[in-house]
Coordinates of all heavy atoms in Angstrom, one line a residue:
N171 N 11.8 18.1 24.6 CA 12.5 17.1 25.4 C 13.8 17.6 26.0 O 14.1 17.3 27.1 CB 12.8 15.9 24.5 CG 11.6 15.0 24.3 OD1 10.7 15.1 25.0 ND2 11.7 14.2 23.3
K172 N 14.5 18.5 25.3 CA 15.7 19.1 25.8 C 15.4 19.9 27.0 O 16.1 19.8 28.0 CB 16.4 19.9 24.7 CG 17.1 19.2 23.6 CD 17.7 20.1 22.6 CE 18.2 19.3 21.4 NZ 18.8 20.2 20.4
S173 N 14.4 20.7 27.0 CA 14.0 21.6 28.1 C 13.6 20.7 29.3 O 14.0 21.0 30.4 CB 12.9 22.5 27.7 OG 13.3 23.4 26.7
N174 N 12.9 19.6 29.1 CA 12.5 18.8 30.2 C 13.6 18.1 30.8 O 13.7 17.9 32.0 CB 11.5 17.7 29.7 CG 10.1 18.3 29.4 OD1 9.8 19.4 29.8 ND2 9.3 17.6 28.6
K175 N 14.7 17.7 30.1 CA 15.8 17.1 30.6 C 16.6 18.0 31.5 O 17.1 17.7 32.6 CB 16.7 16.5 29.5 CG 16.2 15.3 28.8 CD 17.1 14.8 27.7 CE 16.5 13.7 27.0 NZ 17.4 13.3 25.8
I176 N 16.7 19.3 31.1 CA 17.4 20.3 31.8 C 16.7 20.5 33.2 O 17.3 20.6 34.2 CB 17.6 21.6 31.0 CG1 18.5 21.3 29.9 CG2 18.1 22.7 31.9 CD1 18.6 22.5 28.9
I177 N 15.4 20.7 33.1 CA 14.6 20.9 34.4 C 14.8 19.7 35.3 O 15.0 19.9 36.5 CB 13.2 21.2 34.0 CG1 13.1 22.5 33.3 CG2 12.3 21.2 35.3 CD1 11.7 22.8 32.7
T178 N 14.7 18.5 34.8 CA 14.9 17.3 35.6 C 16.2 17.3 36.3 O 16.3 17.0 37.5 CB 14.7 16.0 34.8 OG1 13.4 16.1 34.2 CG2 14.7 14.8 35.7
N179 N 17.3 17.6 35.5 CA 18.6 17.5 36.1 C 18.8 18.6 37.2 O 19.5 18.4 38.2 CB 19.7 17.7 35.0 CG 19.8 16.5 34.1 OD1 19.4 15.4 34.5 ND2 20.3 16.7 32.9
K180 N 18.2 19.8 37.0 CA 18.3 20.9 37.9 C 17.6 20.5 39.2 O 18.2 20.7 40.3 CB 17.6 22.1 37.4 CG 17.7 23.3 38.3 CD 17.1 24.5 37.6 CE 17.1 25.7 38.5 NZ 16.5 26.9 37.9
T181 N 16.5 19.8 39.2 CA 15.8 19.3 40.4 C 16.7 18.4 41.2 O 16.8 18.5 42.4 CB 14.5 18.7 40.1 OG1 13.7 19.6 39.3 CG2 13.7 18.3 41.3
I182 N 17.3 17.5 40.5 CA 18.2 16.5 41.1 C 19.4 17.2 41.8 O 19.8 16.9 42.9 CB 18.7 15.4 40.1 CG1 17.5 14.6 39.7 CG2 19.8 14.6 40.7 CD1 17.8 13.7 38.5
S183 N 20.0 18.2 41.1 CA 21.2 18.9 41.6 C 20.8 19.6 42.9 O 21.7 19.7 43.8 CB 21.7 19.9 40.6 OG 22.1 19.2 39.4
N184 N 19.7 20.2 43.0 CA 19.3 21.0 44.1 C 19.1 20.2 45.4 O 19.2 20.7 46.5 CB 18.1 21.9 43.8 CG 18.4 23.0 42.9 OD1 19.5 23.4 42.8 ND2 17.3 23.5 42.3
N185 N 18.8 18.9 45.2 CA 18.5 18.1 46.4 C 19.8 17.5 47.0 O 19.8 17.0 48.1 CB 17.6 16.9 45.9 CG 16.2 17.4 45.6 OD1 15.8 18.5 46.1 ND2 15.5 16.7 44.8
S186 N 20.9 17.7 46.3 CA 22.2 17.1 46.8 C 22.9 18.1 47.7 O 23.2 19.2 47.3 CB 23.1 16.7 45.7 OG 24.3 16.2 46.2
S187 N 23.1 17.7 49.0 CA 23.7 18.7 49.9 C 25.3 18.6 49.8 O 25.9 19.4 50.5 CB 23.3 18.3 51.3 OG 23.7 17.0 51.6
D188 N 25.8 17.7 49.0 CA 27.3 17.6 48.9 C 27.8 18.7 48.0 O 29.0 19.0 48.0 CB 27.7 16.3 48.4 CG 27.4 15.2 49.3 OD1 27.2 15.5 50.5 OD2 27.2 14.0 48.9
I189 N 27.0 19.4 47.2 CA 27.5 20.4 46.2 C 27.4 21.7 46.9 O 26.4 22.1 47.4 CB 26.6 20.3 45.0 CG1 26.6 18.9 44.3 CG2 27.0 21.4 44.0 CD1 25.6 18.8 43.2
P190 N 28.5 22.5 46.8 CA 28.6 23.8 47.4 C 27.6 24.7 46.7 O 27.3 24.6 45.5 CB 30.0 24.3 47.2 CG 30.8 23.1 46.9 CD 29.8 22.1 46.3
S191 N 27.0 25.7 47.5 CA 26.0 26.6 46.9 C 26.6 27.4 45.8 O 25.9 27.7 44.8 CB 25.4 27.5 48.0 OG 26.5 28.3 48.5
S192 N 27.9 27.8 45.8 CA 28.4 28.6 44.7 C 28.5 27.8 43.4 O 28.2 28.3 42.3 CB 29.9 29.0 45.1 OG 30.7 27.9 45.3

Side-chain angles (χ1 to χ4, degrees):
N171 282 342
K172 287 179 186 176
S173 295
N174 289 341
K175 287 179 184 176
I176 292 170
I177 291 170
T178 302
N179 288 339
K180 183 177 180 180
T181 303
I182 292 169
S183 297
N184 287 339
N185 291 336
S186 178
S187 60
D188 294 338
I189 301 173
S191 62
S192 59

